[in-house]
Amino acid sequence: MRIIEAQDYKDMSRKAANIISAQMILKPESVIGLATGSTPIGVYDQLTEGYKKGDLDFSKIHTVNLDEYKGIDAENKQSYHYFMNQHLFSRVNIELQNTFVPDGMNENQDEECQRYEKLIAGLGGVDLQLLGLGHNGHIGFNEPAEVFVKQTHCVSLSEKTIQANQRFFESKKQVPKQAYTMGIGTIMSARKILIIISGEDKAEAVKKSFGEEISPHVPASILQLHHDVTVIADKAALSKLDI
Ligand code: F6R
């Protein structure tokens, strides 16, 4: 596990975008796993800049997103699908048919989860997976639990996650209670993993994930076992970790 200290959010975003850019330049037909939330917005801005400058070409890139709320369609402004269109897909030359997000409107959980797993396998697996870190150590929507769930599944969101996501909705009542997410095994199958973390409010989660024992109660701690994981975190997020 490589841990790279960034000065601040902007520096973290730039460093992470550089790693994704290198992946895209070395393998223009890469499959990139993407995350939503506040943390990757700066990375998507940097990648957009790279495209505008002519340094990056998305035309052969495929993307698979980590997760999506259940019961929300792609046109809904709170959907992760919408988020991706807004922050990245509509700003670069990616082919929309090469971008994949779990279908939140598929009521049939088993069917949707199997479809997504097959889709990822059909693309040849993920070359580089971008992740953010939840305050409770979640990755994707893999919440603290008794066991690590391997494959794409439908989860009931924890109270803490519902509270954290409330800022994107008009009221807590509107925050979806379930989501589809890649499983821990799906994430761990990526050839490379890049996790980005910013802010002092994540310092405890960083310490528990990367400085303590591996436990399904802290889902991100499993990343300690991955052979190629890069953590890019700013000083504030690393403040409780001994490195
Ligand atoms: C989003 C996702 C989540 C977030 C995490 C951190 O696709 O999978 O695990 O990465 O909740 O969210 P932010 O970046 O908003 O703090």
Side-chain angles (χ1 to χ4, degrees):
M1 173 172 282
R2 271 172 238 107
I3 300 185
I4 298 175
E5 182 181 274
Q7 287 305 314
D8 50 25
Y9 178 79
K10 196 157 186 205
D11 188 33
M12 175 205 75
S13 305
R14 214 167 27 223
K15 284 180 161 62
N18 284 342
I19 291 177
I20 298 171
S21 303
Q23 172 69 39
M24 291 175 57
I25 291 166
L26 290 169
K27 187 178 175 190
E29 67 286 6
S30 288
V31 178
I32 315 264
L34 298 175
T36 59
S38 358
T39 317
I41 292 176
V43 176
Y44 298 146
D45 288 345
Q46 292 288 326
L47 291 175
T48 304
E49 279 306 303
Y51 164 69
K52 283 191 184 149
K53 278 197 260 162
D55 292 337
L56 292 179
D57 176 15
F58 287 77
S59 62
K60 295 195 192 106
I61 295 291
H62 287 70
T63 64
V64 281
N65 264 79
L66 276 170
D67 42 17
E68 178 60 287
Y69 289 124
K70 185 156 180 272
I72 279 194
D73 65 55
E75 309 305 318
N76 187 310
K77 286 195 173 151
Q78 304 306 338
S79 74
Y80 286 178
H81 211 127
Y82 190 95
F83 173 102
M84 288 313 307
N85 281 332
Q86 189 188 18
H87 290 285
L88 187 67
F89 301 157
S90 66
R91 304 163 84 192
V92 298
N93 67 330
I94 199 158
E95 302 287 343
L96 279 184
Q97 73 266 21
N98 294 342
T99 66
F100 302 98
V101 181
D103 178 6
M105 292 311 282
N106 191 346
E107 277 295 321
N108 186 331
Q109 299 182 13
D110 290 347
E111 183 188 274
E112 181 54 18
C113 296
Q114 281 171 26
R115 183 192 72 85
Y116 209 61
E117 284 292 324
K118 272 198 196 139
L119 186 149
I120 295 170
L123 291 171
V126 173
D127 289 301
L128 174 64
Q129 176 67 55
L130 178 66
L131 298 175
L133 179 68
H135 290 104
N136 58 5
H138 73 219
I139 46 176
F141 268 128
N142 293 277
E143 301 281 20
E146 293 306 315
V147 289
F148 290 113
V149 181
K150 218 174 147 206
Q151 297 202 315
T152 300
H153 56 290
C154 181
V155 282
S156 296
L157 307 185
S158 73
E159 189 50 38
K160 209 168 176 181
T161 301
I162 292 172
Q163 267 169 28
N165 288 348
Q166 198 180 325
R167 66 192 194 276
F168 301 114
F169 293 83
E170 273 169 25
S171 74
K172 191 174 161 191
K173 252 175 56 191
Q174 290 180 4
V175 186
K177 308 285 181 289
Q178 286 188 307
Y180 286 121
T181 181
M182 283 186 196
I184 291 292
T186 329
I187 293 171
M188 290 291 280
S189 302
R191 287 183 266 284
K192 292 181 188 154
I193 293 180
L194 174 60
I195 179 161
I196 51 173
I197 313 139
S198 171
E200 208 184 336
D201 55 316
K202 297 273 176 80
E204 194 61 33
V206 168
K207 179 173 159 239
K208 286 195 174 135
S209 301
F210 310 125
E212 294 179 9
E213 75 272 19
I214 296 164
S215 157
H217 294 287
V218 185
S221 63
I222 194 81
L223 298 177
Q224 294 178 44
L225 294 180
H226 194 277
H227 64 283
D228 191 346
V229 53
T230 304
V231 180
I232 304 185
D234 61 16
K235 277 176 184 293
L238 287 177
S239 58
K240 293 190 179 165
L241 188 71
D242 290 328
I243 43 171

